PDB file of all heavy atoms in Angstrom:
ATOM      1  N   ALA N 261    -144.372-172.780  29.671  1.00 41.00           N
ATOM      2  CA  ALA N 261    -143.078-173.393  29.956  1.00 41.00           C
ATOM      3  C   ALA N 261    -142.008-172.340  30.113  1.00 41.00           C
ATOM      4  O   ALA N 261    -141.118-172.426  30.960  1.00 41.00           O
ATOM      5  CB  ALA N 261    -142.696-174.376  28.849  1.00 41.00           C
ATOM      6  N   ALA N 265    -139.768-171.694  33.470  1.00 40.00           N
ATOM      7  CA  ALA N 265    -138.301-171.689  33.465  1.00 40.00           C
ATOM      8  C   ALA N 265    -137.762-170.393  34.024  1.00 40.00           C
ATOM      9  O   ALA N 265    -136.780-170.364  34.773  1.00 40.00           O
ATOM     10  CB  ALA N 265    -137.779-171.922  32.044  1.00 40.00           C
ATOM     11  N   LEU N 288    -116.614-162.552  58.865  1.00 77.00           N
ATOM     12  CA  LEU N 288    -116.926-161.688  60.005  1.00 77.00           C
ATOM     13  C   LEU N 288    -116.488-162.335  61.319  1.00 77.00           C
ATOM     14  O   LEU N 288    -115.905-161.676  62.185  1.00 77.00           O
ATOM     15  CB  LEU N 288    -118.418-161.373  60.042  1.00 77.00           C
ATOM     16  CG  LEU N 288    -118.923-160.374  58.988  1.00 77.00           C
ATOM     17  CD1 LEU N 288    -120.439-160.304  59.015  1.00 77.00           C
ATOM     18  CD2 LEU N 288    -118.331-158.987  59.235  1.00 77.00           C
ATOM     19  N   CYS N 304    -111.160-165.682  51.101  1.00 87.00           N
ATOM     20  CA  CYS N 304    -110.953-166.273  49.779  1.00 87.00           C
ATOM     21  C   CYS N 304    -111.839-167.504  49.585  1.00 87.00           C
ATOM     22  O   CYS N 304    -112.423-167.711  48.514  1.00 87.00           O
ATOM     23  CB  CYS N 304    -109.481-166.650  49.582  1.00 87.00           C
ATOM     24  SG  CYS N 304    -108.381-165.222  49.427  1.00 87.00           S
ATOM     25  N   LEU N 309    -116.572-170.039  47.100  1.00 80.00           N
ATOM     26  CA  LEU N 309    -117.856-170.722  47.234  1.00 80.00           C
ATOM     27  C   LEU N 309    -118.983-169.925  46.586  1.00 80.00           C
ATOM     28  O   LEU N 309    -119.898-170.504  45.973  1.00 80.00           O
ATOM     29  CB  LEU N 309    -118.159-170.952  48.716  1.00 80.00           C
ATOM     30  CG  LEU N 309    -117.348-172.044  49.411  1.00 80.00           C
ATOM     31  CD1 LEU N 309    -117.641-172.044  50.908  1.00 80.00           C
ATOM     32  CD2 LEU N 309    -117.687-173.416  48.822  1.00 80.00           C
ATOM     33  N   GLY N 318    -126.466-172.052  37.642  1.00 55.00           N
ATOM     34  CA  GLY N 318    -126.780-171.497  36.328  1.00 55.00           C
ATOM     35  C   GLY N 318    -127.319-170.093  36.371  1.00 55.00           C
ATOM     36  O   GLY N 318    -128.123-169.711  35.509  1.00 55.00           O
ATOM     37  N   PRO N 321    -124.893-164.282  34.294  1.00 56.00           N
ATOM     38  CA  PRO N 321    -124.170-163.076  34.716  1.00 56.00           C
ATOM     39  C   PRO N 321    -124.982-161.836  34.404  1.00 56.00           C
ATOM     40  O   PRO N 321    -125.651-161.759  33.382  1.00 56.00           O
ATOM     41  CB  PRO N 321    -122.871-163.138  33.901  1.00 56.00           C
ATOM     42  CG  PRO N 321    -123.190-163.985  32.718  1.00 56.00           C
ATOM     43  CD  PRO N 321    -124.206-164.991  33.173  1.00 56.00           C
ATOM     44  N   GLY N 322    -124.971-160.905  35.283  1.00 57.00           N
ATOM     45  CA  GLY N 322    -125.725-159.679  35.088  1.00 57.00           C
ATOM     46  C   GLY N 322    -125.370-158.680  36.166  1.00 57.00           C
ATOM     47  O   GLY N 322    -124.497-158.914  37.019  1.00 57.00           O
ATOM     48  N   HIS N 344    -106.761-156.824  60.774  1.00 82.00           N
ATOM     49  CA  HIS N 344    -105.478-156.115  60.893  1.00 82.00           C
ATOM     50  C   HIS N 344    -105.530-155.079  62.009  1.00 82.00           C
ATOM     51  O   HIS N 344    -104.595-154.974  62.831  1.00 82.00           O
ATOM     52  CB  HIS N 344    -105.142-155.438  59.562  1.00 82.00           C
ATOM     53  CG  HIS N 344    -103.971-154.501  59.641  1.00 82.00           C
ATOM     54  ND1 HIS N 344    -102.673-154.928  59.807  1.00 82.00           N
ATOM     55  CD2 HIS N 344    -103.922-153.136  59.604  1.00 82.00           C
ATOM     56  CE1 HIS N 344    -101.867-153.890  59.856  1.00 82.00           C
ATOM     57  NE2 HIS N 344    -102.603-152.791  59.740  1.00 82.00           N
ATOM     58  N   GLU N 390     -98.818-163.929  84.109  1.00 47.00           N
ATOM     59  CA  GLU N 390     -99.552-163.402  82.969  1.00 47.00           C
ATOM     60  C   GLU N 390    -100.782-162.628  83.376  1.00 47.00           C
ATOM     61  O   GLU N 390    -101.563-162.185  82.546  1.00 47.00           O
ATOM     62  CB  GLU N 390     -99.976-164.555  82.044  1.00 47.00           C
ATOM     63  CG  GLU N 390    -101.038-165.487  82.620  1.00 47.00           C
ATOM     64  CD  GLU N 390    -100.446-166.524  83.558  1.00 47.00           C
ATOM     65  OE1 GLU N 390     -99.228-166.483  83.815  1.00 47.00           O
ATOM     66  OE2 GLU N 390    -101.218-167.377  84.045  1.00 47.00           O
ATOM     67  N   ASP N 413    -101.658-151.264  99.600  1.00 93.00           N
ATOM     68  CA  ASP N 413    -102.403-152.004  98.584  1.00 93.00           C
ATOM     69  C   ASP N 413    -103.425-151.067  97.960  1.00 93.00           C
ATOM     70  O   ASP N 413    -104.331-150.570  98.648  1.00 93.00           O
ATOM     71  CB  ASP N 413    -103.101-153.215  99.214  1.00 93.00           C
ATOM     72  CG  ASP N 413    -103.656-154.178  98.166  1.00 93.00           C
ATOM     73  OD1 ASP N 413    -103.585-153.860  96.964  1.00 93.00           O
ATOM     74  OD2 ASP N 413    -104.166-155.236  98.554  1.00 93.00           O
ATOM     75  N   ALA N 436     -92.100-138.404 103.549  1.00 96.00           N
ATOM     76  CA  ALA N 436     -91.431-139.224 104.570  1.00 96.00           C
ATOM     77  C   ALA N 436     -90.216-138.523 105.169  1.00 96.00           C
ATOM     78  O   ALA N 436     -89.876-138.770 106.334  1.00 96.00           O
ATOM     79  CB  ALA N 436     -91.011-140.561 103.965  1.00 96.00           C
ATOM     80  N   GLY N 448    -100.075-136.082 105.058  1.00 96.00           N
ATOM     81  CA  GLY N 448     -99.468-135.642 103.803  1.00 96.00           C
ATOM     82  C   GLY N 448     -99.799-136.561 102.645  1.00 96.00           C
ATOM     83  O   GLY N 448    -100.083-136.098 101.532  1.00 96.00           O
ATOM     84  N   ALA N 465    -102.807-148.797 103.890  1.00 97.00           N
ATOM     85  CA  ALA N 465    -101.391-148.505 104.123  1.00 97.00           C
ATOM     86  C   ALA N 465    -101.009-148.818 105.562  1.00 97.00           C
ATOM     87  O   ALA N 465    -101.787-148.577 106.502  1.00 97.00           O
ATOM     88  CB  ALA N 465    -101.085-147.044 103.815  1.00 97.00           C
ATOM     89  N   ALA N 484    -102.805-156.211 109.819  1.00 96.00           N
ATOM     90  CA  ALA N 484    -101.877-155.924 110.918  1.00 96.00           C
ATOM     91  C   ALA N 484    -100.569-156.678 110.717  1.00 96.00           C
ATOM     92  O   ALA N 484    -100.557-157.813 110.237  1.00 96.00           O
ATOM     93  CB  ALA N 484    -102.505-156.330 112.249  1.00 96.00           C
ATOM     94  N   PRO N 497    -104.033-152.331 115.670  1.00 93.00           N
ATOM     95  CA  PRO N 497    -104.182-151.008 116.279  1.00 93.00           C
ATOM     96  C   PRO N 497    -105.354-150.999 117.252  1.00 93.00           C
ATOM     97  O   PRO N 497    -106.333-151.729 117.076  1.00 93.00           O
ATOM     98  CB  PRO N 497    -104.449-150.099 115.075  1.00 93.00           C
ATOM     99  CG  PRO N 497    -105.063-151.000 114.049  1.00 93.00           C
ATOM    100  CD  PRO N 497    -104.411-152.348 114.251  1.00 93.00           C
ATOM    101  N   LEU N 506    -109.821-141.821 102.219  1.00 93.00           N
ATOM    102  CA  LEU N 506    -111.057-141.709 103.007  1.00 93.00           C
ATOM    103  C   LEU N 506    -110.802-140.882 104.269  1.00 93.00           C
ATOM    104  O   LEU N 506    -111.468-141.066 105.282  1.00 93.00           O
ATOM    105  CB  LEU N 506    -111.577-143.097 103.376  1.00 93.00           C
ATOM    106  CG  LEU N 506    -111.898-144.022 102.182  1.00 93.00           C
ATOM    107  CD1 LEU N 506    -112.357-145.383 102.680  1.00 93.00           C
ATOM    108  CD2 LEU N 506    -112.958-143.400 101.288  1.00 93.00           C
ATOM    109  N   ARG N 516     -92.541-152.541 121.541  1.00 92.00           N
ATOM    110  CA  ARG N 516     -91.151-152.821 121.898  1.00 92.00           C
ATOM    111  C   ARG N 516     -90.651-154.018 121.090  1.00 92.00           C
ATOM    112  O   ARG N 516     -91.363-155.001 120.871  1.00 92.00           O
ATOM    113  CB  ARG N 516     -91.029-153.108 123.388  1.00 92.00           C
ATOM    114  CG  ARG N 516     -89.603-153.392 123.857  1.00 92.00           C
ATOM    115  CD  ARG N 516     -89.530-153.389 125.363  1.00 92.00           C
ATOM    116  NE  ARG N 516     -89.855-152.068 125.887  1.00 92.00           N
ATOM    117  CZ  ARG N 516     -90.089-151.829 127.180  1.00 92.00           C
ATOM    118  NH1 ARG N 516     -90.076-152.817 128.053  1.00 92.00           N
ATOM    119  NH2 ARG N 516     -90.359-150.595 127.576  1.00 92.00           N
ATOM    120  N   GLY N 520     -83.603-160.111 118.757  1.00 86.00           N
ATOM    121  CA  GLY N 520     -84.022-161.322 118.068  1.00 86.00           C
ATOM    122  C   GLY N 520     -85.436-161.269 117.526  1.00 86.00           C
ATOM    123  O   GLY N 520     -85.834-162.143 116.742  1.00 86.00           O
ATOM    124  N   ARG N 522     -88.527-160.275 115.194  1.00 95.00           N
ATOM    125  CA  ARG N 522     -88.702-159.926 113.790  1.00 95.00           C
ATOM    126  C   ARG N 522     -90.089-159.331 113.578  1.00 95.00           C
ATOM    127  O   ARG N 522     -91.043-159.713 114.273  1.00 95.00           O
ATOM    128  CB  ARG N 522     -88.530-161.157 112.895  1.00 95.00           C
ATOM    129  CG  ARG N 522     -87.093-161.643 112.779  1.00 95.00           C
ATOM    130  CD  ARG N 522     -86.997-162.953 112.034  1.00 95.00           C
ATOM    131  NE  ARG N 522     -85.619-163.287 111.695  1.00 95.00           N
ATOM    132  CZ  ARG N 522     -85.254-164.410 111.103  1.00 95.00           C
ATOM    133  NH1 ARG N 522     -86.156-165.322 110.760  1.00 95.00           N
ATOM    134  NH2 ARG N 522     -83.976-164.637 110.823  1.00 95.00           N
ATOM    135  N   GLU N 532    -105.593-163.479 103.251  1.00 89.00           N
ATOM    136  CA  GLU N 532    -106.779-163.967 102.549  1.00 89.00           C
ATOM    137  C   GLU N 532    -106.506-165.197 101.690  1.00 89.00           C
ATOM    138  O   GLU N 532    -107.364-165.608 100.903  1.00 89.00           O
ATOM    139  CB  GLU N 532    -107.370-162.850 101.684  1.00 89.00           C
ATOM    140  CG  GLU N 532    -107.864-161.666 102.519  1.00 89.00           C
ATOM    141  CD  GLU N 532    -108.503-160.582 101.667  1.00 89.00           C
ATOM    142  OE1 GLU N 532    -108.612-160.777 100.430  1.00 89.00           O
ATOM    143  OE2 GLU N 532    -108.884-159.537 102.232  1.00 89.00           O
ATOM    144  N   ALA N 559     -86.355-167.193 105.485  1.00 94.00           N
ATOM    145  CA  ALA N 559     -87.647-167.194 106.178  1.00 94.00           C
ATOM    146  C   ALA N 559     -88.770-166.774 105.233  1.00 94.00           C
ATOM    147  O   ALA N 559     -89.848-167.379 105.215  1.00 94.00           O
ATOM    148  CB  ALA N 559     -87.587-166.264 107.385  1.00 94.00           C
ATOM    149  N   ALA N 575    -108.253-171.377  93.318  1.00 49.00           N
ATOM    150  CA  ALA N 575    -108.182-170.201  92.454  1.00 49.00           C
ATOM    151  C   ALA N 575    -106.973-169.362  92.855  1.00 49.00           C
ATOM    152  O   ALA N 575    -106.584-169.336  94.031  1.00 49.00           O
ATOM    153  CB  ALA N 575    -109.457-169.372  92.606  1.00 49.00           C
ATOM    154  N   ASP N 578    -104.506-163.513  95.780  1.00 72.00           N
ATOM    155  CA  ASP N 578    -104.104-162.153  95.437  1.00 72.00           C
ATOM    156  C   ASP N 578    -102.589-162.046  95.400  1.00 72.00           C
ATOM    157  O   ASP N 578    -101.862-162.934  95.856  1.00 72.00           O
ATOM    158  CB  ASP N 578    -104.681-161.197  96.484  1.00 72.00           C
ATOM    159  CG  ASP N 578    -104.725-159.761  95.997  1.00 72.00           C
ATOM    160  OD1 ASP N 578    -104.317-159.519  94.841  1.00 72.00           O
ATOM    161  OD2 ASP N 578    -105.167-158.891  96.764  1.00 72.00           O
ATOM    162  N   ASP N 579    -102.099-160.932  94.826  1.00 81.00           N
ATOM    163  CA  ASP N 579    -100.667-160.663  94.880  1.00 81.00           C
ATOM    164  C   ASP N 579    -100.200-160.677  96.336  1.00 81.00           C
ATOM    165  O   ASP N 579    -100.961-160.341  97.250  1.00 81.00           O
ATOM    166  CB  ASP N 579    -100.362-159.298  94.268  1.00 81.00           C
ATOM    167  CG  ASP N 579    -100.728-159.241  92.797  1.00 81.00           C
ATOM    168  OD1 ASP N 579    -100.770-160.303  92.162  1.00 81.00           O
ATOM    169  OD2 ASP N 579    -100.972-158.143  92.291  1.00 81.00           O
ATOM    170  N   THR N 581     -97.166-159.546  99.059  1.00 92.00           N
ATOM    171  CA  THR N 581     -95.997-158.738  99.393  1.00 92.00           C
ATOM    172  C   THR N 581     -95.603-159.025 100.835  1.00 92.00           C
ATOM    173  O   THR N 581     -96.448-158.983 101.737  1.00 92.00           O
ATOM    174  CB  THR N 581     -96.287-157.239  99.219  1.00 92.00           C
ATOM    175  OG1 THR N 581     -96.533-156.967  97.831  1.00 92.00           O
ATOM    176  CG2 THR N 581     -95.118-156.397  99.683  1.00 92.00           C
TER     177      THR N 581
END
Side-chain angles (χ1 to χ4, degrees):
L288 286 172
C304 290
L309 286 173
H344 170 71
E390 69 279 4
D413 192 355
L506 301 178
R516 181 169 296 168
R522 288 173 169 176
E532 297 182 3
D578 199 1
D579 297 336
T581 295

